Amino acid sequence: MIRKHIVVHGRVQGVGFRYITSSIAVRCHVTGWVRNEYDGTVTIEVQGVEHRVALFIEQVSEGNRFARVDHLDITDLPLVNTSKETSFQIVH
């Protein structure tokens, strides 16, 4: 298991990006959260088996026809207890 902190840069607010991210997380079977930031970026924390987290990051980085991802800043984080975090949440 690994956990990553991701800051997404690009046109990622006001285009449904958090909901897309949540959908990708469900498909990849990872936990964590996603939140809009005041500077126009989106912050994500994601946790799961290494290959699932890698797939999540790959799919998030692609954006879609509404969202444009310019680049990701990714750092490692300590794991969160899986009994406390059981799903992927959109944080407001």
Side-chain angles (χ1 to χ4, degrees):
M1 294 273 285
I2 62 171
R3 186 172 188 90
K4 299 288 186 178
H5 178 267
I6 305 166
V7 178
V8 186
H9 300 265
R11 188 174 61 128
V12 291
Q13 288 194 18
V15 293
F17 186 76
R18 289 176 300 157
Y19 298 96
I20 294 162
T21 299
S22 179
S23 175
I24 293 169
V26 169
R27 286 195 313 267
C28 292
H29 304 286
V30 295
T31 63
W33 54 265
V34 60
R35 166 181 77 207
N36 282 345
E37 301 295 350
Y38 291 109
D39 64 359
T41 62
V42 169
T43 298
I44 302 168
E45 284 195 14
V46 61
Q47 179 169 304
V49 179
E50 188 169 353
H51 73 276
R52 292 179 189 266
V53 172
L55 180 61
F56 169 85
I57 292 170
E58 178 184 322
Q59 291 182 9
V60 164
S61 69
E62 292 173 1
N64 66 19
R65 63 184 181 158
F66 303 109
R68 184 192 74 247
V69 175
D70 292 337
H71 71 278
L72 305 174
D73 295 326
I74 304 172
T75 55
D76 295 328
L77 289 174
L79 294 175
V80 169
N81 187 326
T82 55
S83 66
K84 294 181 180 182
E85 185 179 82
T86 59
S87 64
F88 194 90
Q89 303 291 319
I90 297 171
V91 179
H92 299 279

